[in-house]
Amino acid sequence: MRRRIWAAVILLAVLALALRLITIAGDLPQLVTAAHFEELRADHPRMRAFLHRMPKGGDLHTHLSGAVYAERYIAWAVRDAQCLRASDWAILPRPDGAAADQPCGGDPSIVPIADAVSGPRGQTTYDLLLDALSTRWFLPTPAIPSGHDQFFGTFGKFNAATGGADWQATRARMAEMVADQLRQYDADAVQYVEFMVTLLEGEERRQLAQAIGAETEPAAMLAALQKAGLAQSVAVRAQEVAELVGQIDVLLDCGSERRNPGCGVTFRFIAQVNRNGAPADVFTQTAHAAALIRAAPHIVAGLNYVGPEDYRVSLREYRTHMKWIGFLTGKDVPVALHAGELWLGLVPPPDLDFHIREAVEVAGARRIGHGTAIAFERDMAGLLTEMRRRGVTVEIALTSSDVILGVRGKEHPITTYLKAGVPVVLATDDAGVSRIDLSNEYYRAARDHRLGYERLKSLARNAITHAFLAEDEKRRELDRLDRSFAELERSVADEQPWGVWLRAVVRGVVLGAL
Ligand SMILES: [Zn+2]
């Protein structure tokens, strides 16, 4: 009798094991890839190479002007005969009506950039200029005491090379910048990007803002803008961004086959609003962005507030800004917001405990940029639960948080968000200024936060699931991503010795038993 019971128990165990093996058979390439990835923890160069090859879905948080490496800006500035001011390494436009023998005007410290980076000292100047236009080799000095200041200071220095405050010049340059970026993302196994760009500049913006006059109520401010021609301005801009997409296609030489580098990367724009302007200016940008997204949702997919969150205007007006965003975007305009890109000491405690919550609850943000200061929010646990329930996604940029806030390693809340079930994506923020790429951010997540292959794969999928795309577009992109992953896993699994397969099977069986 006893022997029969034992035989039955053993038979049941064998059956359960066989059943489990059949269940995991379909997942075997993924399990083997995950087991291989764990081996790579002891070999960082190989882990980097693996992550470069791994599909990374999308980059949902990248500022176009901060994404371009300084080498490109210098090349464009030389081509356009722009000038360089040696005192602060700022690229300047060529002054109108300058004499032929003084193309950059009479100030001897401002010289043609082409001259500055050529000749016997040209390489030295070029290297120092690259450092000034990025965070490369940055060391604090009394003049620039923090990574935060160096980082934000670079934008003013290369602004002229991006087209400056002139919309038509910016538009022409944007096409080149986007084309460059798409090629780069292609090489980095990224299939989808949302670029933050300024789509309302200069005189047009100033005139619209002026129309607001002394109005302070959002409804009255919006009415003033509408009377001043908001709809016409938006219609023209919608047409121009559609043309811009066509120009990018031409620059990449995509044609109908879409085989050239960059042509396979889907992209959208996010209209960015500089949060540190005067009230009428910020309101105007927000209203214009919301209207543009409604007019051209397949090109301009969402809105974001940019500029240092810790600057005085942003801190003082934060609650007002959140109300305006809620009012102007309603429920139909997708909103992502930089919120909680702060830390204790950077700002006083009263400014630390409500930014993320108000971005979610008042402005209706579907995604939060950074969210680094979550630990300082009132009722952090309640907020995390609410973010999970609403599906509010956190766009985490590990290098950016390190450089700008000095927050890294265990201080960074990425694990807190993941444990709370809040959707997370990895993003570059400003790959050119920080001199990184998206693979590097995956590498940091694996190295510093011990994320494994399956987790990284889920973050890559999040970057499509939480993209500001229509549902049918998301399905298409997800199919594409799943195909890329299947291809990678098949090829990685084929390369592995039997020991890795065995470990993968054991792990699959054990995970199933838990
Ligand atoms: Zn950002």
Side-chain angles (χ1 to χ4, degrees):
M1 184 66 186
R2 226 175 180 176
R3 275 174 63 186
R4 277 196 189 162
I5 292 172
W6 273 113
V9 168
I10 290 167
L11 186 67
L12 273 175
V14 170
L15 275 175
L17 182 64
L19 204 65
R20 183 66 201 147
L21 285 173
I22 291 168
T23 319
I24 64 168
D27 293 336
L28 259 184
Q30 176 179 310
L31 288 166
V32 173
T33 306
H36 168 62
F37 189 76
E38 287 311 305
E39 282 196 321
L40 298 183
R41 290 203 183 278
D43 190 340
H44 285 181
R46 286 179 73 215
M47 183 189 263
R48 261 191 197 276
F50 176 93
L51 289 168
H52 179 66
R53 177 183 173 198
M54 186 185 106
K56 285 165 288 286
D59 191 351
L60 301 186
H61 186 126
T62 171
H63 303 263
L64 181 60
S65 66
V68 174
Y69 271 61
E71 283 86 342
R72 294 299 283 149
Y73 283 136
I74 298 172
W76 287 328
V78 167
R79 191 187 68 190
D80 297 347
Q82 291 189 317
C83 306
L84 181 67
R85 186 168 58 207
S87 57
D88 64 352
W89 299 103
I91 297 173
L92 300 175
R94 205 178 159 119
D96 290 333
D101 58 339
Q102 284 186 327
C104 291
D107 183 341
S109 73
I110 303 175
V111 296
I113 191 166
D115 295 349
V117 297
S118 56
R121 281 191 48 81
Q123 182 65 50
T124 308
T125 304
Y126 186 80
D127 284 344
L128 291 170
L129 182 54
L130 287 185
D131 296 346
L133 299 180
S134 71
T135 56
R136 191 176 81 158
W137 307 125
F138 173 69
L139 285 174
T141 62
I144 307 176
S146 66
H148 171 284
D149 295 356
Q150 171 69 11
F151 180 92
F152 286 113
T154 61
F155 290 85
K157 295 188 203 310
F158 57 63
N159 186 43
T162 70
D166 177 68
W167 164 244
Q168 294 309 333
T170 300
R171 190 179 146 200
R173 181 50 44 81
M174 265 171 72
E176 287 184 274
M177 289 160 73
V178 171
D180 250 30
Q181 288 296 303
L182 295 178
R183 286 192 203 98
Q184 170 60 36
Y185 277 115
D186 208 349
D188 201 22
V190 180
Q191 68 178 58
Y192 177 71
V193 192
E194 290 178 5
F195 293 111
M196 278 178 266
V197 288
T198 302
L199 293 169
L200 183 63
E201 294 266 20
E203 190 52 27
E204 189 182 6
R205 177 162 133 194
R206 201 189 60 75
Q207 278 185 11
L208 276 172
Q210 211 170 30
I212 288 177
E215 300 292 356
T216 54
E217 281 307 307
M221 292 163 93
L222 181 59
L225 286 176
Q226 281 162 341
K227 215 169 136 198
L230 178 68
Q232 293 89 317
S233 167
V234 166
V236 171
R237 197 53 33 91
Q239 180 61 35
E240 286 172 343
V241 289
E243 286 165 18
L244 180 62
V245 172
Q247 285 162 11
I248 293 161
D249 242 42
V250 171
L251 279 175
L252 292 172
D253 190 20
C254 289
S256 58
E257 300 283 308
R258 306 199 71 79
R259 289 225 179 94
N260 284 338
C263 295
V265 182
T266 307
F267 70 94
R268 296 287 183 274
F269 292 121
I270 301 264
Q272 66 182 19
V273 170
N274 177 2
R275 70 195 324 162
N276 286 302
D281 177 52
V282 176
F283 188 90
T284 302
Q285 293 179 72
T286 314
H288 197 277
L292 185 57
I293 294 156
R294 288 188 176 111
H298 298 296
I299 303 171
V300 187
L303 171 151
N304 205 326
Y305 266 33
V306 305
E309 189 183 335
D310 57 284
Y311 275 13
R312 286 173 297 176
V313 172
S314 165
L315 293 180
R316 193 176 61 230
E317 306 291 339
Y318 194 86
R319 286 195 161 95
T320 306
H321 287 167
M322 295 304 110
K323 282 188 197 131
W324 286 352
I325 297 166
F327 169 74
L328 289 166
T329 61
K331 292 212 182 309
D332 58 317
V333 172
V335 174
L337 285 175
H338 288 73
E341 192 184 7
L342 303 169
W343 201 252
L344 185 65
L346 180 64
V347 297
D351 289 312
L352 268 177
D353 66 0
F354 66 95
H355 280 205
I356 301 172
R357 183 181 291 280
E358 292 226 348
V360 171
E361 293 178 354
V362 181
R366 301 181 197 184
R367 300 201 313 243
I368 294 294
H370 303 285
T372 320
I374 186 78
F376 304 99
E377 289 274 331
R378 275 195 304 273
D379 184 19
M380 176 183 85
L383 179 56
L384 288 170
T385 306
E386 185 178 356
M387 290 171 78
R388 183 185 62 209
R389 190 175 51 75
R390 291 186 184 218
V392 173
T393 307
V394 185
E395 304 155 353
I396 286 185
L398 294 169
T399 298
S400 170
S401 292
D402 185 353
V403 171
I404 298 176
L405 300 174
V407 178
R408 63 184 79 89
K410 286 203 167 103
E411 293 300 317
H412 196 283
I414 181 170
T415 309
T416 310
Y417 282 117
L418 289 170
K419 279 192 179 153
V422 175
V424 165
V425 294
L426 295 174
T428 53
D429 202 10
D430 297 88
V433 176
S434 302
R435 300 184 74 82
I436 53 157
D437 58 14
L438 191 56
S439 293
N440 184 71
E441 301 308 283
Y442 274 69
Y443 173 68
R444 283 187 80 137
R447 183 195 64 187
D448 300 347
H449 302 280
R450 307 287 302 172
L451 302 198
Y453 173 74
E454 278 120 333
R455 176 69 87 177
L456 294 173
K457 182 178 174 180
S458 77
L459 301 192
R461 291 189 99 252
N462 280 349
I464 303 297
T465 312
H466 300 279
F468 291 159
L469 284 171
E471 285 308 312
D472 59 327
E473 293 167 330
K474 271 188 204 178
R475 267 196 303 280
R476 265 201 308 278
E477 293 297 333
L478 266 182
D479 282 350
R480 203 148 78 96
L481 182 60
D482 288 341
R483 279 199 303 278
S484 301
F485 268 115
E487 205 176 298
L488 171 85
E489 288 164 4
R490 262 198 313 274
S491 115
V492 169
D494 283 350
E495 294 160 9
Q496 301 314 308
W498 67 270
V500 177
W501 279 79
L502 188 65
R503 269 203 302 284
V505 171
V506 170
R507 189 163 162 266
V509 170
V510 170
L511 282 179
L514 293 175

